[in-house]
Every structure is written in C-alpha cells, then in structure tokens.
Amino acid sequence: MHIERALSHNNTHNGRLRATEGSDTAALPKRTMEPYTTPIPLTERVPAEIWLEIFEQVPTRADLHSVSVACKKFHDLTLRPLHRDLVWAKAMHVVHSLPLWNVKRGMDVAVRSLVLGVSAVPPNVCVPMVGRDGNPEPPPSHPSVNEDDKMLVATLGYYKLSDHDKDFFASRALHDDMFLRIRTFTNIASLTLSHMLVYDMHFELIHSLARLRSLRIEFCLFQHRFGSQTFNHADLPITDLTMVNLRRRCMAFLAHQITYDEDLTHILSLSTARNLQTLTVDSSADVFRHIFGAWDAHQRGWLIPQGLQNVYVLRRRCIDGEVQPLFHGENNFPETNLYHFAVQAPSLRTLSTPLFVPQNVMIAPQALPPSLERFAAPVETATFVAAVRDVKALGVLKCGLGSREAINALESVAVCRPALKMLMLELRGWDDEVVPAVAELFKDLRRLKVLYEGDVGPSEDFLVMLAPEYLTKMPHLHTIELYPQPRAGSAKPDHPRFLYDASYDSAEEELRNLVIPYNRYCPRLRKVQVCSGYIMARTCEGGPWEMERVRQYQEKDDLSY
C-alpha cells in the first residue's frame, strides 16, 4: 500500500511538470546529473586509532567479544584488547594461543595482565604432560630414581595436581616456548601464579617486569629454600600483593602423619617490597610471624613497608569441596604477631581480619596507628577498637545467634562513633530487628552490609517495607547489601529461578519490582543486593536499575564507603 501511494504521488508530480514545460520553460531550473556515491560506513570514517582507544575502555572480555563479531574490521581491531588480559591457566590454553602471537606481530605490548597456571617438572618426573601439538606427552622411558623427584611426584599426587583432567603441566618444549613469549610481555601490570610449581625462573620474571604493580600467588608449590637463588624483594615495584593457600612440599609420609617443608621465607619476603600499599594473606602465608616477627628481621632487611595502608587477612578457602591441610603453626594463627605488626605499621588505614588476637590476650587499641580508619574484626575486638580509634568504616564479625548481642554491640559503637560511614555485620542467623536498630543508631551511614548464615533470610514484606520504614532514616545511604554468607567449600552464589513469587518469569524481573519503592524513598541509593546471585545498580537518581549476575562471592571487602 505504501509503495502504491508513493508511485501515484510520483506520477502526479511528473504530470504537473510536463503541463508547465510549454508555458514557462525558462523558469525551470536546469537539472544536472550527479554521480551516485556510496555512503562511507561509520566503521571506515572513524580512524582505527580512535576505535582502538574506544575498545581499550570496554571493561569486560564478554563485551569485547560481542564487539569483535560485529564486522571484520572490528574483529581485527579487537584482537589486541581481547588479549589485554591473558589467561593461561591450563596447558591447552597455551597450545591454542601461542600461534596467534607468531602471526600477529607487535601484540606483545598490549598484554596488561597474565594469569598463569602452567608449569614444567624435572626431566624424569612422571606426571601427565601436554606437548607442543596439544597431544599427551609420553612418560619418560627412565623414571627418576632421585629421592627429591620421587617426593615431588608424591606431593603432586597428594594435592591432586597431577590428575589427568587438571592439565597443569606442559612438556619442556611447550613450556620453553611459552616462557619465551611471556618474557616479551614487558607491559604486564598484574600477574597471577595459580596451581603451579614456582621456581627461580618465575622470580626472575617477576623482577624483570618494571611495570608490575599487582602480584597474586595461590595454591602453588615452591622450589626448595636450599638451592634457590636469593632475591632482594624489597626492590620490587609492586603495590598490591596477595598470597593465599600456599602449599608445602611433603618431606616424608610416616604412618598417618605427613611432614612438610616449612621454610617459605624466600616466598613470604615478597611482603617487604618497599612500595607495597595493600597486603592480603591467610594463615598459610603468615608474614607477621615468619617475616616481620622474625628475631633477625632487621638484620635481614625485612622491614614493614612505610607506605603500607591496607592489610586483609582472609579465612582459609576450600577448593573442590576439600579443605587444605593445616600446616605447623596455622592453628595458632595469628597469635599476637598481627597485633604487634599493626602497632608498628605507621601508615595503616585498613585492617580486616577474622581473628585479631587470641581471646586470652589483652590489647591496647590506643597503640594502633592514628591513621586507622577502616577496621573489621570479631565483635569484641571491633567494639573495643572503635571506642578508641576514629574509624569511619567498621566490620563487626562473628555476632551471636540472637539479635541482642549484635544490637548491644551496635549500641556500644554508636556511643563513640555515631557518624559511622560504613558498617558491615556478620550474623550467625538473620534477625529482622538488626536493620531497624542500625537505622536508628547511624543516621550518616553511606553503606550497609549484612551477611548472615543459614538459608532463612529477610522476608518479602521486610524488603518491601525496607525503604519507607528504615532506609529513609539514613539519607546518605548509597549501598545496601543483605545476603547469606557462602557455604563451606563453595565460592559460587545461588541463582534461583525466583525469590518469593513463582509467578514471575525470572528472579531478575522479581527484583526489579521489589526495588520500585526504593526509587521514591531513597533517591541517593545506587546499589542494592538482597540475594547473593544478583546486584541491582543505577548510575543516577531516577535512572533505570541495571541487573548484574554475580559469578562468585567477593574474596574480601575493602570496607569502602
């Protein structure tokens, strides 16, 4: 119908032109034929340098991949950004990725972060390995008779690192090719070593990266202290260091007991890097006792970095549903070493720990640095320190089952710190009375986070009335988080089909309806998390709520506000 009308209009217009040609030909303007030009698409009009700059700002790899399939030009331009954050966690990742670097020259400088989980073993050690072609490497014809190699094989089996499905080990040829390529990634700013054997060559790499700022080591085994090189880690440029779930070599299997290599000082001394600002450890990396608490720490140059601001002590994490074995001294961690360390750290601003000192040890909170403004510890210690230090963010951990213990602690804190900006609570069971108490006691709160144990959480009625009844009493609040703590052995949150009402098509739709009252009563609210698997966020007042699916629980909370 629309095409017929257009044709009819065109015929009428042409008839009018012919009717006027004889009467006033001179009055008509002369029409010139212009050559037909194809419009240049936007992808070609914008210079490649501009596109590259735009793609560098895309935050997630998934979004970059979506852009790359839009057209051939975008596919070529996104190659560098897609390889900005490189993950070589398994040997097959390396096999598939290495040929690209030989074809696309100059991409080495684009790599900004590397997650590495592939390592090699001594020549005659029998473990599953992947060759250059991606096929399994045949075992050595003459297995090692060296006692150290035999114990290494036993250690790898003990930690289940040598299982065929793990794919952690590369043949010597593949590993050499990989390491030659890694040495060309001179712009790496973030490096993670995970589930691998760490040798001197890895520390040489770490010391060769002039732009390295963030270093993470987890679930790794290490070269023997004797026979390894000595590195001066104080000269490293890193500002952020994480060492968690460090593993020890098995030295002997005696009946039902295992003895481990306990000397990891050549690893733990990474914490002495002079420029270090943030340190994250767990009980497997007790730098407070073995490094800063050592009797000869000053003679060996193991000094607390003067610019160290943030210290996070984490609980030991489970992997594959199994708790890692406790090594010698871990059951007493952190004894009093963490407290003595905190007293001596002059620039300390953040300290978060599930255990500060043993219960029978008294501390002097006034001895802690005056710069301390974010503190998280068990309920007794948290309230004790908050009474003396002017903290702006406070984590009250391990509160009791009843609401009374938590509310008593909050009332005690409010006497000294009514202007608290951020509050984090760990409850051993949800209680509806806690949030109303917070709203009455801390009017200036900007961020509230409540974690609770168990499957029973806030009801639908409570969440609907949360904004008009309680959150309006905290006009500066921009973040509210109420969700259960992770279950033991799991870092992945739940993603149920619905929360309270099965008539909704999805939990996302239900959550969007749940926060409708928040638009009216909490205009400053920007982030809402009322279940572990989803976060709702908006950028401005009155803006739409965007849904983010949470893939895993936070490893730590920085107590930001």
Side-chain angles (χ1 to χ4, degrees):
M1 182 65 72
H2 294 292
I3 296 176
E4 292 175 356
R5 288 178 180 175
L7 290 173
S8 175
H9 174 77
N10 187 51
N11 292 335
T12 304
H13 179 70
N14 291 339
R16 289 172 182 170
L17 284 177
R18 285 191 295 270
T20 57
E21 281 178 358
S23 58
D24 192 6
T25 306
L28 292 173
K30 293 182 178 181
R31 303 178 66 184
T32 59
M33 295 295 294
E34 296 182 359
Y36 177 76
T37 57
T38 303
I40 302 174
L42 179 63
T43 56
E44 300 297 332
R45 279 184 284 163
V46 177
E49 293 79 7
I50 302 299
W51 285 122
L52 287 173
E53 184 66 28
I54 292 173
F55 296 152
E56 283 293 334
Q57 307 305 318
V58 178
T60 65
R61 186 180 180 86
D63 291 338
L64 267 176
H65 183 266
S66 300
V67 173
S68 71
V69 298
C71 63
K72 185 180 184 304
K73 184 179 181 68
F74 281 2
H75 177 270
D76 295 337
L77 291 176
T78 53
L79 273 178
R80 285 195 178 193
L82 276 171
H83 290 81
R84 174 182 59 203
D85 303 311
L86 201 58
V87 178
W88 284 350
K90 295 189 176 183
M92 289 306 298
H93 295 166
V94 181
V95 171
H96 294 315
S97 181
L98 274 182
L100 176 66
W101 302 94
N102 296 326
V103 175
K104 300 293 182 180
R105 301 290 183 178
M107 279 181 42
D108 310 73
V109 296
V111 180
R112 294 294 185 270
S113 72
L114 172 64
V115 176
L116 185 62
V118 181
S119 52
V121 293
N124 293 322
V125 171
C126 292
V127 295
M129 289 182 290
V130 176
R132 272 177 169 167
D133 56 1
N135 294 321
E137 191 85 354
S141 56
H142 300 287
S144 177
V145 296
N146 185 295
E147 289 301 322
D148 287 341
D149 289 348
K150 287 183 177 180
M151 194 52 64
L152 175 59
V153 173
T155 302
L156 295 176
Y158 176 68
Y159 290 113
K160 301 182 179 180
L161 291 174
S162 57
D163 292 352
H164 282 271
D165 60 337
K166 299 296 185 183
D167 192 14
F168 289 145
F169 297 103
S171 68
R172 179 58 58 180
L174 176 60
H175 185 268
D176 289 347
D177 290 348
M178 177 192 75
F179 225 78
L180 282 174
R181 178 56 61 189
I182 291 176
R183 290 189 181 279
T184 66
F185 300 155
T186 55
N187 287 329
I188 288 180
S190 174
L191 176 64
T192 296
L193 305 180
S194 178
H195 294 88
M196 57 183 294
L197 287 167
V198 178
Y199 292 100
D200 285 344
M201 68 172 66
H202 298 100
F203 287 105
E204 291 172 358
L205 172 67
I206 291 170
H207 280 264
S208 70
L209 298 173
R211 297 179 181 272
L212 186 64
R213 297 297 179 267
S214 176
L215 175 62
R216 180 185 180 92
I217 302 178
E218 61 178 3
F219 297 108
C220 287
L221 281 168
F222 305 94
Q223 186 172 348
H224 282 304
R225 176 69 182 88
F226 302 103
S228 62
Q229 298 181 34
T230 300
F231 295 91
N232 183 9
H233 297 316
D235 295 332
L236 284 174
I238 59 174
T239 59
D240 190 331
L241 174 64
T242 299
M243 295 186 293
V244 292
N245 289 284
L246 304 187
R247 289 166 167 161
R248 271 76 168 170
R249 285 174 177 253
C250 300
M251 303 300 292
F253 293 84
L254 303 173
H256 297 290
Q257 294 185 344
I258 302 173
T259 60
Y260 302 96
D261 177 13
E262 297 296 339
D263 190 356
L264 289 187
T265 54
H266 58 306
I267 313 300
L268 303 182
S269 59
L270 287 165
S271 59
T272 63
R274 294 190 187 94
N275 295 326
L276 201 63
Q277 297 178 10
T278 301
L279 174 65
T280 304
V281 296
D282 64 6
S283 59
S284 71
D286 190 355
V287 298
F288 313 112
R289 176 161 62 109
H290 295 296
I291 301 298
F292 302 115
W295 66 271
D296 58 346
H298 284 275
Q299 289 84 344
R300 303 181 70 168
W302 291 345
L303 306 177
I304 298 175
Q306 292 297 301
L308 187 63
Q309 298 182 9
N310 311 302
V311 173
Y312 302 96
V313 180
L314 307 183
R315 296 182 176 94
R316 285 292 296 273
R317 203 182 89 196
C318 299
I319 180 171
D320 298 331
E322 296 183 7
V323 179
Q324 297 300 299
L326 285 176
F327 305 112
H328 177 69
E330 279 194 273
N331 55 333
N332 296 323
F333 177 82
E335 295 181 335
T336 58
N337 297 288
L338 175 57
Y339 167 63
H340 294 310
F341 166 86
V343 169
Q344 299 173 56
S347 303
L348 195 61
R349 296 180 56 216
T350 305
L351 177 57
S352 177
T353 173
L355 180 63
F356 193 35
V357 292
Q359 292 184 353
N360 59 344
V361 175
M362 295 296 296
I363 64 171
Q366 61 273 14
L368 295 173
S371 57
L372 188 66
E373 64 175 26
R374 294 182 288 187
F375 184 75
V379 55
E380 299 85 359
T381 307
T383 54
F384 197 33
V385 171
V388 176
R389 281 286 170 256
D390 186 18
V391 293
K392 301 294 188 297
L394 184 66
V396 183
L397 312 182
K398 299 183 180 179
C399 293
L401 285 171
S403 63
R404 198 64 252 168
E405 181 182 353
I407 293 176
N408 287 341
L410 294 176
E411 290 174 345
S412 175
V413 172
V415 172
C416 304
R417 305 286 164 239
L420 206 63
K421 306 300 181 187
M422 187 273 176
L423 178 64
M424 178 173 69
L425 293 171
E426 269 189 8
L427 305 177
R428 292 181 183 164
W430 173 258
D431 195 294
D432 287 349
E433 296 182 14
V434 172
V435 173
V438 171
E440 290 292 339
L441 295 171
F442 304 101
K443 305 293 186 182
D444 294 332
L445 214 59
R446 300 176 184 176
R447 180 182 171 212
L448 173 62
K449 181 175 183 177
V450 179
L451 301 174
Y452 54 89
E453 294 180 1
D455 298 326
V456 178
S459 65
E460 182 179 16
D461 290 339
F462 181 86
L463 293 179
V464 170
M465 297 302 296
L466 184 63
E469 289 290 335
Y470 311 121
L471 301 189
T472 52
K473 299 178 181 179
M474 298 178 284
H476 305 291
L477 194 72
H478 59 69
T479 300
I480 176 75
E481 298 158 287
L482 312 172
Y483 59 90
Q485 297 187 49
R487 293 185 296 272
S490 175
K492 295 182 178 180
D494 295 327
H495 299 94
R497 191 179 68 81
F498 65 92
L499 298 181
Y500 303 101
D501 191 342
S503 65
Y504 284 103
D505 292 335
S506 65
E508 292 95 327
E509 181 185 359
E510 185 177 3
L511 285 169
R512 291 182 191 278
N513 281 272
L514 201 62
V515 298
I516 288 176
Y518 297 34
N519 296 327
R520 176 181 179 184
Y521 295 101
C522 309
R524 293 197 177 186
L525 205 58
R526 296 293 179 267
K527 179 180 176 182
V528 176
Q529 186 174 6
V530 294
C531 68
S532 59
Y534 300 97
I535 294 175
M536 294 169 288
R538 59 181 178 179
T539 58
C540 60
E541 181 178 342
W545 291 97
E546 301 294 338
M547 193 70 60
E548 176 186 344
R549 186 181 176 92
V550 181
R551 299 184 181 275
Q552 63 180 19
Y553 280 96
Q554 284 184 330
E555 181 181 53
K556 63 186 179 186
D557 194 300
D558 61 4
L559 305 178
S560 61
Y561 53 88

Short mmCIF file of all heavy atoms in Angstrom, two decimals, residues 45-88:
data_model
loop_
_atom_site.label_atom_id
_atom_site.label_comp_id
_atom_site.label_asym_id
_atom_site.label_seq_id
_atom_site.Cartn_x
_atom_site.Cartn_y
_atom_site.Cartn_z
N ARG A 45 34.81 5.66 8.46
CA ARG A 45 35.02 7.10 8.65
C ARG A 45 35.83 7.40 9.90
O ARG A 45 36.58 8.37 9.95
CB ARG A 45 33.67 7.81 8.72
CG ARG A 45 33.04 8.08 7.36
CD ARG A 45 31.75 8.86 7.51
NE ARG A 45 30.66 8.03 7.98
CZ ARG A 45 29.53 8.52 8.51
NH1 ARG A 45 29.39 9.81 8.66
NH2 ARG A 45 28.58 7.70 8.89
N VAL A 46 35.67 6.57 10.93
CA VAL A 46 36.40 6.78 12.17
C VAL A 46 37.77 6.13 12.06
O VAL A 46 37.87 4.95 11.71
CB VAL A 46 35.63 6.18 13.37
CG1 VAL A 46 36.42 6.34 14.66
CG2 VAL A 46 34.27 6.84 13.50
N PRO A 47 38.85 6.85 12.34
CA PRO A 47 40.19 6.28 12.23
C PRO A 47 40.37 5.09 13.17
O PRO A 47 39.75 5.00 14.23
CB PRO A 47 41.12 7.44 12.63
CG PRO A 47 40.29 8.67 12.44
CD PRO A 47 38.87 8.27 12.70
N ALA A 48 41.24 4.18 12.76
CA ALA A 48 41.49 2.97 13.55
C ALA A 48 42.00 3.30 14.94
O ALA A 48 41.68 2.61 15.92
CB ALA A 48 42.48 2.06 12.82
N GLU A 49 42.78 4.37 15.05
CA GLU A 49 43.33 4.74 16.36
C GLU A 49 42.23 5.11 17.35
O GLU A 49 42.33 4.81 18.55
CB GLU A 49 44.31 5.92 16.22
CG GLU A 49 45.58 5.61 15.45
CD GLU A 49 45.37 5.60 13.95
OE1 GLU A 49 44.24 5.97 13.51
OE2 GLU A 49 46.29 5.21 13.22
N ILE A 50 41.16 5.73 16.84
CA ILE A 50 40.04 6.10 17.71
C ILE A 50 39.31 4.84 18.18
O ILE A 50 38.95 4.71 19.35
CB ILE A 50 39.07 7.05 16.99
CG1 ILE A 50 39.82 8.32 16.53
CG2 ILE A 50 37.91 7.41 17.89
CD1 ILE A 50 40.41 9.12 17.67
N TRP A 51 39.08 3.91 17.24
CA TRP A 51 38.41 2.67 17.62
C TRP A 51 39.24 1.92 18.68
O TRP A 51 38.68 1.37 19.64
CB TRP A 51 38.20 1.76 16.40
CG TRP A 51 37.10 2.18 15.47
CD1 TRP A 51 37.18 2.47 14.16
CD2 TRP A 51 35.72 2.37 15.83
NE1 TRP A 51 35.96 2.83 13.65
CE2 TRP A 51 35.04 2.77 14.65
CE3 TRP A 51 34.99 2.24 17.00
CZ2 TRP A 51 33.68 3.03 14.63
CZ3 TRP A 51 33.62 2.51 16.98
CH2 TRP A 51 32.98 2.90 15.81
N LEU A 52 40.55 1.88 18.48
CA LEU A 52 41.40 1.18 19.45
C LEU A 52 41.28 1.81 20.83
O LEU A 52 41.24 1.12 21.85
CB LEU A 52 42.86 1.20 18.97
CG LEU A 52 43.19 0.29 17.80
CD1 LEU A 52 44.61 0.53 17.31
CD2 LEU A 52 43.02 -1.18 18.20
N GLU A 53 41.22 3.15 20.86
CA GLU A 53 41.08 3.84 22.14
C GLU A 53 39.73 3.52 22.79
O GLU A 53 39.64 3.33 24.01
CB GLU A 53 41.22 5.35 21.93
CG GLU A 53 41.20 6.16 23.21
CD GLU A 53 42.40 5.89 24.11
OE1 GLU A 53 43.46 5.52 23.57
OE2 GLU A 53 42.27 6.03 25.33
N ILE A 54 38.69 3.44 21.98
CA ILE A 54 37.36 3.10 22.49
C ILE A 54 37.34 1.68 23.04
O ILE A 54 36.84 1.42 24.14
CB ILE A 54 36.30 3.27 21.38
CG1 ILE A 54 36.14 4.75 21.00
CG2 ILE A 54 34.95 2.69 21.82
CD1 ILE A 54 35.25 4.99 19.80
N PHE A 55 37.91 0.75 22.28
CA PHE A 55 37.89 -0.65 22.71
C PHE A 55 38.73 -0.86 23.97
O PHE A 55 38.46 -1.79 24.74
CB PHE A 55 38.40 -1.55 21.58
CG PHE A 55 37.52 -1.54 20.36
CD1 PHE A 55 38.05 -1.79 19.10
CD2 PHE A 55 36.17 -1.26 20.46
CE1 PHE A 55 37.24 -1.78 17.97
CE2 PHE A 55 35.35 -1.24 19.34
CZ PHE A 55 35.90 -1.50 18.10
N GLU A 56 39.72 -0.03 24.19
CA GLU A 56 40.52 -0.14 25.41
C GLU A 56 39.69 0.18 26.65
O GLU A 56 40.03 -0.23 27.76
CB GLU A 56 41.72 0.81 25.34
CG GLU A 56 42.87 0.31 24.47
CD GLU A 56 43.55 -0.91 25.04
OE1 GLU A 56 43.51 -1.10 26.27
OE2 GLU A 56 44.11 -1.70 24.26
N GLN A 57 38.60 0.94 26.47
CA GLN A 57 37.77 1.34 27.60
C GLN A 57 36.67 0.32 27.91
O GLN A 57 35.99 0.44 28.93
CB GLN A 57 37.11 2.71 27.33
CG GLN A 57 38.08 3.80 26.93
CD GLN A 57 39.19 4.00 27.94
OE1 GLN A 57 38.94 3.97 29.15
NE2 GLN A 57 40.42 4.17 27.45
N VAL A 58 36.48 -0.68 27.04
CA VAL A 58 35.46 -1.70 27.29
C VAL A 58 35.93 -2.57 28.45
O VAL A 58 37.00 -3.18 28.37
CB VAL A 58 35.22 -2.56 26.03
CG1 VAL A 58 34.20 -3.65 26.31
CG2 VAL A 58 34.75 -1.68 24.88
N PRO A 59 35.16 -2.66 29.54
CA PRO A 59 35.69 -3.27 30.76
C PRO A 59 35.76 -4.79 30.75
O PRO A 59 36.64 -5.37 31.37
CB PRO A 59 34.72 -2.78 31.85
CG PRO A 59 33.45 -2.52 31.12
CD PRO A 59 33.82 -2.08 29.74
N THR A 60 34.83 -5.48 30.09
CA THR A 60 34.77 -6.93 30.22
C THR A 60 35.12 -7.62 28.90
O THR A 60 34.84 -7.11 27.81
CB THR A 60 33.37 -7.40 30.67
OG1 THR A 60 32.42 -7.09 29.63
CG2 THR A 60 32.96 -6.70 31.95
N ARG A 61 35.68 -8.81 29.04
CA ARG A 61 36.05 -9.59 27.86
C ARG A 61 34.82 -10.03 27.08
O ARG A 61 34.84 -10.10 25.84
CB ARG A 61 36.87 -10.80 28.31
CG ARG A 61 37.45 -11.62 27.18
CD ARG A 61 38.24 -12.79 27.72
NE ARG A 61 38.81 -13.59 26.64
CZ ARG A 61 39.97 -13.35 26.06
NH1 ARG A 61 40.70 -12.32 26.47
NH2 ARG A 61 40.42 -14.12 25.09
N ALA A 62 33.71 -10.32 27.78
CA ALA A 62 32.49 -10.75 27.10
C ALA A 62 31.96 -9.66 26.18
O ALA A 62 31.54 -9.94 25.04
CB ALA A 62 31.44 -11.14 28.13
N ASP A 63 31.99 -8.40 26.65
CA ASP A 63 31.52 -7.29 25.81
C ASP A 63 32.44 -7.10 24.61
O ASP A 63 31.98 -6.81 23.49
CB ASP A 63 31.45 -6.00 26.63
CG ASP A 63 30.36 -6.04 27.68
OD1 ASP A 63 29.41 -6.84 27.51
OD2 ASP A 63 30.44 -5.30 28.67
N LEU A 64 33.75 -7.24 24.83
CA LEU A 64 34.69 -7.12 23.72
C LEU A 64 34.46 -8.19 22.67
O LEU A 64 34.54 -7.93 21.46
CB LEU A 64 36.13 -7.22 24.25
CG LEU A 64 36.83 -5.91 24.61
CD1 LEU A 64 38.19 -6.20 25.21
CD2 LEU A 64 36.97 -5.01 23.39
N HIS A 65 34.16 -9.40 23.12
CA HIS A 65 33.90 -10.48 22.17
C HIS A 65 32.65 -10.18 21.35
O HIS A 65 32.61 -10.46 20.13
CB HIS A 65 33.74 -11.80 22.92
CG HIS A 65 33.55 -12.97 22.02
ND1 HIS A 65 32.29 -13.43 21.67
CD2 HIS A 65 34.43 -13.76 21.36
CE1 HIS A 65 32.41 -14.45 20.85
NE2 HIS A 65 33.69 -14.68 20.66
N SER A 66 31.63 -9.61 21.97
CA SER A 66 30.43 -9.24 21.23
C SER A 66 30.73 -8.20 20.16
O SER A 66 30.19 -8.25 19.05
CB SER A 66 29.36 -8.71 22.20
OG SER A 66 29.01 -9.70 23.15
N VAL A 67 31.61 -7.25 20.49
CA VAL A 67 32.01 -6.24 19.51
C VAL A 67 32.79 -6.87 18.37
O VAL A 67 32.63 -6.51 17.19
CB VAL A 67 32.85 -5.13 20.20
CG1 VAL A 67 33.42 -4.17 19.16
CG2 VAL A 67 32.00 -4.37 21.20
N SER A 68 33.64 -7.84 18.69
CA SER A 68 34.53 -8.43 17.68
C SER A 68 33.78 -9.16 16.57
O SER A 68 34.29 -9.27 15.46
CB SER A 68 35.52 -9.39 18.36
OG SER A 68 34.86 -10.55 18.80
N VAL A 69 32.59 -9.67 16.87
CA VAL A 69 31.83 -10.41 15.85
C VAL A 69 30.90 -9.51 15.05
O VAL A 69 30.16 -9.99 14.19
CB VAL A 69 31.02 -11.55 16.51
CG1 VAL A 69 31.94 -12.54 17.19
CG2 VAL A 69 30.00 -11.00 17.50
N ALA A 70 30.96 -8.20 15.29
CA ALA A 70 30.07 -7.28 14.57
C ALA A 70 30.45 -7.16 13.10
O ALA A 70 29.60 -7.12 12.22
CB ALA A 70 30.08 -5.91 15.25
N CYS A 71 31.75 -7.09 12.80
CA CYS A 71 32.22 -6.97 11.43
C CYS A 71 33.69 -7.34 11.38
O CYS A 71 34.36 -7.46 12.41
CB CYS A 71 32.00 -5.56 10.88
SG CYS A 71 32.93 -4.28 11.74
N LYS A 72 34.22 -7.50 10.17
CA LYS A 72 35.62 -7.92 10.02
C LYS A 72 36.58 -6.88 10.57
O LYS A 72 37.59 -7.21 11.20
CB LYS A 72 35.93 -8.20 8.55
CG LYS A 72 37.33 -8.76 8.33
CD LYS A 72 37.59 -9.02 6.87
CE LYS A 72 38.97 -9.68 6.69
NZ LYS A 72 40.06 -8.90 7.26
N LYS A 73 36.27 -5.61 10.35
CA LYS A 73 37.16 -4.56 10.83
C LYS A 73 37.25 -4.59 12.35
O LYS A 73 38.34 -4.48 12.93
CB LYS A 73 36.66 -3.18 10.37
CG LYS A 73 37.58 -2.02 10.76
CD LYS A 73 37.04 -0.70 10.26
CE LYS A 73 37.96 0.45 10.63
NZ LYS A 73 39.24 0.40 9.91
N PHE A 74 36.11 -4.74 13.02
CA PHE A 74 36.11 -4.81 14.48
C PHE A 74 36.82 -6.08 14.97
O PHE A 74 37.45 -6.07 16.02
CB PHE A 74 34.69 -4.76 15.02
CG PHE A 74 34.09 -3.37 15.04
CD1 PHE A 74 34.81 -2.28 14.55
CD2 PHE A 74 32.82 -3.14 15.54
CE1 PHE A 74 34.27 -1.00 14.56
CE2 PHE A 74 32.27 -1.87 15.57
CZ PHE A 74 33.00 -0.80 15.07
N HIS A 75 36.67 -7.15 14.19
CA HIS A 75 37.36 -8.39 14.58
C HIS A 75 38.87 -8.18 14.62
O HIS A 75 39.56 -8.62 15.56
CB HIS A 75 37.01 -9.51 13.60
CG HIS A 75 37.72 -10.80 13.89
ND1 HIS A 75 38.95 -11.10 13.31
CD2 HIS A 75 37.39 -11.86 14.68
CE1 HIS A 75 39.35 -12.29 13.75
NE2 HIS A 75 38.42 -12.76 14.57
N ASP A 76 39.39 -7.48 13.63
CA ASP A 76 40.84 -7.23 13.59
C ASP A 76 41.27 -6.24 14.66
O ASP A 76 42.32 -6.40 15.30
CB ASP A 76 41.23 -6.70 12.21
CG ASP A 76 41.01 -7.74 11.11
OD1 ASP A 76 40.98 -8.94 11.45
OD2 ASP A 76 40.84 -7.36 9.94
N LEU A 77 40.44 -5.20 14.89
CA LEU A 77 40.83 -4.16 15.85
C LEU A 77 40.71 -4.60 17.30
O LEU A 77 41.35 -4.02 18.18
CB LEU A 77 39.97 -2.91 15.61
CG LEU A 77 40.24 -2.14 14.31
CD1 LEU A 77 39.25 -0.99 14.17
CD2 LEU A 77 41.67 -1.62 14.27
N THR A 78 39.86 -5.60 17.56
CA THR A 78 39.69 -6.03 18.95
C THR A 78 40.66 -7.14 19.36
O THR A 78 40.62 -7.59 20.50
CB THR A 78 38.24 -6.54 19.18
OG1 THR A 78 37.93 -7.53 18.20
CG2 THR A 78 37.25 -5.40 19.12
N LEU A 79 41.51 -7.58 18.46
CA LEU A 79 42.46 -8.63 18.81
C LEU A 79 43.35 -8.21 19.98
O LEU A 79 43.57 -8.96 20.92
CB LEU A 79 43.33 -9.00 17.60
CG LEU A 79 42.75 -10.07 16.66
CD1 LEU A 79 43.68 -10.30 15.50
CD2 LEU A 79 42.50 -11.36 17.42
N ARG A 80 43.86 -6.99 19.91
CA ARG A 80 44.74 -6.53 21.00
C ARG A 80 43.98 -6.38 22.31
O ARG A 80 44.41 -6.89 23.34
CB ARG A 80 45.42 -5.22 20.60
CG ARG A 80 46.53 -5.39 19.59
CD ARG A 80 47.40 -4.15 19.53
NE ARG A 80 48.50 -4.31 18.60
CZ ARG A 80 49.53 -3.50 18.54
NH1 ARG A 80 49.59 -2.46 19.36
NH2 ARG A 80 50.51 -3.71 17.68
N PRO A 81 42.85 -5.65 22.32
CA PRO A 81 42.11 -5.55 23.59
C PRO A 81 41.68 -6.90 24.15
O PRO A 81 41.67 -7.09 25.37
CB PRO A 81 40.90 -4.67 23.22
CG PRO A 81 41.34 -3.89 22.04
CD PRO A 81 42.25 -4.79 21.27
N LEU A 82 41.32 -7.85 23.26
CA LEU A 82 40.89 -9.17 23.74
C LEU A 82 42.04 -9.92 24.42
O LEU A 82 41.81 -10.77 25.27
CB LEU A 82 40.34 -10.00 22.58
CG LEU A 82 38.88 -9.78 22.22
CD1 LEU A 82 38.52 -10.50 20.94
CD2 LEU A 82 37.96 -10.24 23.36
N HIS A 83 43.26 -9.61 24.04
CA HIS A 83 44.42 -10.26 24.65
C HIS A 83 45.12 -9.35 25.64
O HIS A 83 46.26 -9.59 26.02
CB HIS A 83 45.40 -10.71 23.55
CG HIS A 83 44.88 -11.85 22.73
ND1 HIS A 83 43.98 -11.66 21.69
CD2 HIS A 83 45.09 -13.19 22.81
CE1 HIS A 83 43.69 -12.83 21.15
NE2 HIS A 83 44.33 -13.77 21.81
N ARG A 84 44.41 -8.32 26.07
CA ARG A 84 44.94 -7.42 27.10
C ARG A 84 45.03 -8.15 28.44
O ARG A 84 46.01 -8.00 29.18
CB ARG A 84 44.01 -6.21 27.22
CG ARG A 84 44.33 -5.24 28.34
CD ARG A 84 43.28 -4.13 28.35
NE ARG A 84 41.95 -4.68 28.52
CZ ARG A 84 40.83 -4.06 28.14
NH1 ARG A 84 40.89 -2.89 27.55
NH2 ARG A 84 39.64 -4.61 28.34
N ASP A 85 44.03 -8.97 28.75
CA ASP A 85 44.01 -9.76 29.98
C ASP A 85 44.11 -11.23 29.58
O ASP A 85 43.11 -11.84 29.19
CB ASP A 85 42.74 -9.48 30.79
CG ASP A 85 42.60 -8.00 31.12
OD1 ASP A 85 43.57 -7.42 31.60
OD2 ASP A 85 41.51 -7.44 30.88
N LEU A 86 45.28 -11.79 29.69
CA LEU A 86 45.57 -13.12 29.17
C LEU A 86 45.45 -14.16 30.29
O LEU A 86 45.96 -13.96 31.39
CB LEU A 86 46.98 -13.14 28.60
CG LEU A 86 47.33 -14.23 27.59
CD1 LEU A 86 46.40 -14.19 26.40
CD2 LEU A 86 48.78 -14.08 27.14
N VAL A 87 44.77 -15.27 29.99
CA VAL A 87 44.59 -16.36 30.95
C VAL A 87 45.17 -17.63 30.34
O VAL A 87 44.62 -18.19 29.39
CB VAL A 87 43.11 -16.57 31.32
CG1 VAL A 87 42.97 -17.74 32.28
CG2 VAL A 87 42.53 -15.30 31.94
N TRP A 88 46.29 -18.08 30.89
CA TRP A 88 46.90 -19.35 30.52
C TRP A 88 46.87 -20.25 31.75
O TRP A 88 47.89 -20.54 32.36
CB TRP A 88 48.33 -19.14 30.02
CG TRP A 88 48.39 -18.59 28.62
CD1 TRP A 88 47.35 -18.46 27.76
CD2 TRP A 88 49.55 -18.10 27.93
NE1 TRP A 88 47.77 -17.90 26.56
CE2 TRP A 88 49.12 -17.67 26.65
CE3 TRP A 88 50.88 -17.97 28.27
CZ2 TRP A 88 49.99 -17.14 25.70
CZ3 TRP A 88 51.76 -17.44 27.33
CH2 TRP A 88 51.33 -17.03 26.07
#
